[in-house]
Amino acid sequence: NAGVMQNPRHLVRRRGQEARLRCSPMKGHSHVYWYRQLPEEGLKFMVYLQKENIIDESGMPKERFSAEFPKEGPSILRIQQVVRGDSAAYFCASSPGLAGGPNEQFFGPGTRLTVL
Amino acid sequence: AQTVTQSQPEMSVQEAETVTLSCTYDTSESDYYLFWYKQPPSRQMILVIRQEAYKQQNATENRFSVNFQKAAKSFSLKISDSQLGDAAMYFCASFKGGTSYGKLTFGQGTILTVHP
């Protein structure tokens, strides 16, 4: 069973460009989470999605950031008009839809975004 | 809202010795879970151990154990017989109970160095 896949692993963008980060959850997992890790800091929650639905986007910046998890295909985190402050590692995690206690979140290897 | 604080930016230990990493948290929830994650240089987040707040018994996983002090809102990680492969960034995290899905709240992390 392959783990959580993220691509690209490294992404370089110039200010004003768009960044698209992809996350394929583990097989059988229907819940996806995105976290951002700024340099020298811990991971900060951004958004939580189930198939075709955003459940909690309380950690998403109000502008330029969006996320989706379509019925088919990977989850996408999209950052429009990137700025230098968006440079960070973006981690995706997935969990199964099991009831009873917190489902373990399995993390991908992350995408390191560098904005020039 | 939940907050997690790790007051030790860096710790070091000699191989085969024991080290304790500190974590304090704050939550208004009566039902919650606490975790320790390891992030080695590969940046892959790995779950080390978890603790249910309603359980008085401290969790253990092989060489890893926790000291959960609920009244003091303290959740430290003890690593016994430290190995070179334990060198990593360690994050403490909390999860609101009463649900199987939702966000993790992370501390700032502690870098652990293991000396041969």
Side-chain angles (χ1 to χ4, degrees):
Chain A
N1 190 5
V4 178
M5 310 280 283
Q6 288 188 251
N7 66 80
R9 293 292 307 275
H10 300 274
L11 182 61
V12 179
R13 285 287 178 266
R14 296 191 180 278
R15 282 179 296 168
Q17 291 184 319
E18 178 180 287
R20 280 185 179 239
L21 288 63
R22 285 176 289 277
C23 169
S24 296
M26 286 180 69
K27 187 176 181 180
H29 286 191
S30 55
H31 301 254
V32 165
Y33 309 81
W34 286 93
Y35 295 84
R36 177 166 65 174
Q37 184 178 27
L38 294 171
E40 310 301 326
E41 295 188 13
L43 280 71
K44 295 282 196 281
F45 168 79
M46 299 182 75
V47 63
Y48 159 41
L49 311 100
Q50 294 181 26
K51 284 285 187 181
E52 300 185 277
N53 289 301
I54 295 175
I55 307 302
D56 181 357
E57 55 182 348
S58 59
M60 286 276 272
K62 293 290 184 282
E63 297 178 351
R64 301 188 298 109
F65 285 72
S66 62
E68 62 178 16
F69 188 17
K71 186 176 181 181
E72 300 291 338
S75 175
I76 306 286
L77 179 68
R78 182 183 177 202
I79 311 172
Q80 295 178 291
Q81 299 176 326
V82 296
V83 300
R84 289 216 173 105
D86 297 332
S87 295
Y90 291 82
F91 288 90
C92 168
S94 73
S95 70
L98 303 175
N103 287 201
E104 181 178 346
Q105 295 182 21
F106 293 83
F107 283 81
T111 294
R112 181 182 286 280
L113 172 65
T114 301
V115 180
L116 302 178
Chain B
Q2 300 188 329
T3 60
V4 177
T5 303
Q6 294 177 249
S7 59
Q8 305 158 315
E10 298 182 29
M11 291 286 284
S12 64
V13 64
Q14 290 293 134
E15 198 175 5
E17 297 293 309
T18 296
V19 65
T20 298
L21 308 184
S22 300
C23 172
T24 58
Y25 63 92
D26 193 16
T27 180
S28 56
E29 307 292 334
S30 58
D31 183 15
Y32 56 92
Y33 298 78
L34 298 167
F35 305 86
W36 278 98
Y37 279 86
K38 171 184 178 181
Q39 186 180 45
S42 67
R43 304 178 62 82
Q44 182 78 49
M45 293 288 285
I46 302 164
L47 178 63
V48 174
I49 198 166
R50 88 183 219 176
Q51 174 79 44
E52 292 85 347
Y54 62 86
K55 287 188 178 178
Q56 293 187 336
Q57 185 173 8
N58 290 324
T60 62
E61 284 289 341
N62 301 312
R63 298 182 295 107
F64 298 88
S65 62
V66 299
N67 183 3
F68 176 45
Q69 301 289 327
K70 192 171 183 178
K73 293 185 178 177
S74 169
F75 181 61
S76 60
L77 175 70
K78 185 171 84 171
I79 306 174
S80 304
D81 186 26
S82 298
Q83 300 176 0
L84 294 178
D86 295 332
M89 176 85 91
Y90 286 81
F91 292 100
C92 179
S94 67
F95 183 94
K96 176 183 172 182
T99 177
S100 297
Y101 329 109
K103 65 182 179 183
L104 289 162
T105 300
F106 287 90
Q108 307 92 318
T110 297
I111 299 173
L112 177 65
T113 302
V114 181
H115 299 289

